[in-house]
Amino acid sequence: MTRRWSRVAAGTATLVAGMAAALVPVTPAAASTIPSATVVATSPVFNSLPEKSAEARCPDGMRVLGGGVRVSFPDHIVVVRQEPVHTQAVDSFLVTALEDEVGTTNEWAVQAIAVCAADVPGIEIVAAVSATGSTGFIGVSSRCPAGKNAIGAGGRVVDGFGQVALVTLIEGGFMFNTRTTAGGLEDLNGFAGNWSVTSFTVCATLNSPSDLQVVKTYANSTDLTNVIAATCPAGMFATGGTGWADLPSAVASVNINAARSRVQLVSRQTGSSTATWRASAMAFCVS
């Protein structure tokens, strides 16, 4: 009899434990911060004008996450602007490129690339402006407010007149990034004029820290042109990117492909040199 009631008690305990387990609330997995986005690129217009700008506009109701620039036939062309812009009317990504002091008679083109999405939590663009000066390099960083992470970047060189090239990078490691830097590099001959640089960071509130990963690729080169790419991990997609090229080269393209799988950097020597120079491509990869 005792054994019978022991079996009944054990069965009852198992049933109660099972019911208790069923009643424990299950926390659902956090939704992706940016479940979908679209890439908008302008069409190239070829001519021999010394300065060109392009603006990639987001579709109605979408915000700009980041973007890039592509220069076709970049011989003696310097990128000076990659800027995410938010207005009440439209979001966009603005780019500008100039001929350097040598110039070119070739026809060339510049394209703007914007990555756009709707319903991005906490999105905003922050900016920081450097002091005006005339040194070989000037840099400035912009930082997201507390609780937000960087998902896009940009920069602008003001009054460099084709003798100061824009470079950008993502600060920090591969996670928890909140800050980006924009800088200007004077060419090999230097520049006597005063100029400044502005840094832009696109910030958002992540649903989970694991929704963001930064990928960085570096390469040394002595070639005329160097092409490298930062490729996002499987299941993650580029929302923006940066490109940096040391002298004697300059950034010619920071190109985000339509599939948003990678950020490709094209850098090119601005003068004749056998020196080794370093380039870096960086991608914000978000799920």
Side-chain angles (χ1 to χ4, degrees), residues 11 17 29 37 43 47 49 63 88 91 103 113 118 193 225 253-254 262 264:
S43 298
N47 56 49
L49 294 175
R63 296 291 301 270
Q88 293 300 317
D91 273 29
I113 303 163
T225 301
S253 295
V254 180
R262 57 107 176 102
Q264 181 192 67

Side-chain angles (χ1 to χ4, degrees), residues 231-260:
T231 301
C232 290
M236 306 190 87
F237 302 92
T239 55
T242 63
W244 189 290
D246 290 337
L247 291 176
S249 66
V251 171
S253 295
V254 180
N255 182 23
I256 301 171
N257 64 340
R260 297 172 48 227

Side-chain angles (χ1 to χ4, degrees), residues 69-155:
V69 60
R70 184 187 302 124
V71 177
S72 299
F73 299 103
D75 192 26
H76 293 293
I77 305 299
V78 175
V79 174
V80 297
R81 185 182 191 184
Q82 299 178 65
E83 181 177 349
V85 176
H86 169 64
T87 68
Q88 293 300 317
V90 67
D91 273 29
S92 64
F93 201 83
L94 282 166
V95 302
T96 300
L98 308 171
E99 292 182 7
D100 65 14
E101 63 179 329
V102 176
T104 179
T105 57
N106 296 330
E107 293 192 346
W108 58 281
V110 64
Q111 293 171 266
I113 303 163
V115 181
C116 310
D119 302 321
V120 180
I123 189 168
E124 64 176 298
I125 300 170
V126 296
V129 182
S130 75
T132 298
S134 186
T135 58
F137 172 80
I138 297 175
V140 65
S141 298
S142 50
R143 183 187 297 273
C144 294
K148 297 186 179 184
N149 289 83
I151 60 169

Side-chain angles (χ1 to χ4, degrees), residues 14-286:
T14 302
L15 177 61
V16 171
M19 292 174 64
L23 293 173
V24 172
V26 178
T27 302
S32 297
T33 299
I34 303 172
S36 64
T38 186
V39 177
V40 179
T42 59
S43 298
V45 177
F46 288 89
N47 56 49
S48 57
L49 294 175
E51 177 177 345
K52 297 175 185 177
S53 295
E55 180 183 22
R57 295 192 168 198
C58 291
D60 290 345
M62 289 191 173
R63 296 291 301 270
V64 64
L65 311 180
V69 60
R70 184 187 302 124
V71 177
S72 299
F73 299 103
D75 192 26
H76 293 293
I77 305 299
V78 175
V79 174
V80 297
R81 185 182 191 184
Q82 299 178 65
E83 181 177 349
V85 176
H86 169 64
T87 68
Q88 293 300 317
V90 67
D91 273 29
S92 64
F93 201 83
L94 282 166
V95 302
T96 300
L98 308 171
E99 292 182 7
D100 65 14
E101 63 179 329
V102 176
T104 179
T105 57
N106 296 330
E107 293 192 346
W108 58 281
V110 64
Q111 293 171 266
I113 303 163
V115 181
C116 310
D119 302 321
V120 180
I123 189 168
E124 64 176 298
I125 300 170
V126 296
V129 182
S130 75
T132 298
S134 186
T135 58
F137 172 80
I138 297 175
V140 65
S141 298
S142 50
R143 183 187 297 273
C144 294
K148 297 186 179 184
N149 289 83
I151 60 169
R156 184 179 184 182
V157 172
V158 178
D159 294 333
F161 297 102
Q163 291 187 254
V164 183
L166 176 66
V167 290
T168 55
L169 62 82
I170 305 167
E171 299 282 5
F174 69 94
M175 290 184 71
F176 311 112
N177 306 81
T178 62
R179 181 166 60 101
T180 70
T181 293
L185 278 171
E186 293 185 1
D187 62 22
L188 292 173
N189 297 327
F191 178 54
N194 289 319
W195 54 276
S196 66
V197 63
T198 302
S199 169
F200 303 97
T201 302
V202 183
C203 308
T205 304
L206 301 179
N207 289 337
S208 168
S210 61
D211 281 356
L212 170 67
Q213 183 172 328
V214 170
V215 178
K216 302 182 179 183
T217 302
Y218 304 89
N220 294 325
S221 179
T222 57
D223 297 333
L224 178 63
T225 301
N226 188 14
V227 181
I228 59 176
T231 301
C232 290
M236 306 190 87
F237 302 92
T239 55
T242 63
W244 189 290
D246 290 337
L247 291 176
S249 66
V251 171
S253 295
V254 180
N255 182 23
I256 301 171
N257 64 340
R260 297 172 48 227
S261 61
R262 57 107 176 102
V263 174
Q264 181 192 67
L265 170 69
V266 179
S267 49
R268 183 177 174 87
Q269 284 195 35
T270 56
S272 178
S273 175
T274 59
T276 299
W277 46 280
R278 186 173 176 84
S280 60
M282 302 184 184
F284 293 101
C285 302
V286 179

